[in-house]
Amino acid sequence: MSAHAEAARLLATPAGRAELLDGIVEGRRPARTLATLVLVLAAGSALYGAVLGSWRAPVQGLYAALKLPLVLLVTSGLTMLFNWMLALLLGVKATFAQVTALTLLALAVAAVVLASLAPVALLFTLSAPPPSTEARTAHNLLY
C-alpha cells in the first residue's frame, strides 16, 4: 500500500485513527508512521498555501506552497523537543519517536483541516479583486 493510500485510510476512519494511535503507543513501524504524517502535513499545508498565495500571483502561490509546510515542520521540530523534555520531567514513559509522532499527528490533523478549507479559500481568492499597489506595499511593510 502506498504512503498516500495508507495516510488516507488511517486518517479517514475512526478505526484507522485508533490503529494509528495504537501503533504509536506500541512503537510499531515508527519510521513509516512518521513518514506518513510528514507526507500528510506537507501535502495539506502546501495545498492551502498555494491557494492563499495565488491571490497575489502564481509565483507567490508556489512560494507559499513551499513555505507553509516548512513553517509547520520547523514548528513541530521545536514543539517536539519541548514536549519530549516535558514528558521526561513529568515521568511519562514515552520515547522520543512516540513524542515526535504525536506532535506530527497534531499538525497533520491541522493540515487536513487546512486542505479541507482550501476550496473555500479558493472561492474567496477567485472572488476577491486583485491587490492594488497600495495594498501590496502595506502588506510588504506589515509582514
Side-chain angles (χ1 to χ4, degrees):
M1 180 180 297
S2 71
H4 175 71
E6 182 176 355
R9 183 184 64 78
L10 289 176
L11 294 174
T13 64
R17 289 189 293 274
E19 179 186 336
L20 177 63
L21 287 173
D22 289 343
I24 291 170
V25 169
E26 295 169 6
R28 287 181 295 188
R29 303 180 327 181
R32 176 107 177 166
T33 301
L34 294 177
T36 300
L37 292 172
V38 168
L39 175 72
V40 170
L41 189 152
S45 59
L47 176 65
Y48 190 74
V51 168
L52 285 186
S54 66
W55 176 65
R56 184 165 186 247
V59 173
Q60 182 69 26
L62 178 63
Y63 172 72
L66 295 173
K67 183 177 86 169
L68 190 56
L70 289 175
V71 166
L72 290 179
L73 286 171
V74 169
T75 301
S76 68
L78 296 173
T79 304
M80 75 181 70
L81 287 173
F82 174 74
N83 288 341
W84 184 60
M85 288 187 290
L86 190 61
L88 289 176
L89 288 173
L90 294 174
V92 177
K93 294 180 181 173
T95 65
F96 186 71
Q98 290 170 324
V99 171
T100 300
L102 292 172
T103 302
L104 286 173
L105 178 61
L107 287 174
V109 169
V112 168
V113 171
L114 287 175
S116 71
L117 293 173
V120 176
L122 181 62
L123 175 68
F124 284 111
T125 298
L126 296 175
S127 300
S132 65
T133 304
E134 295 83 18
R136 286 182 183 176
T137 302
H139 179 268
N140 291 340
L141 290 174
L142 290 173
Y143 303 106

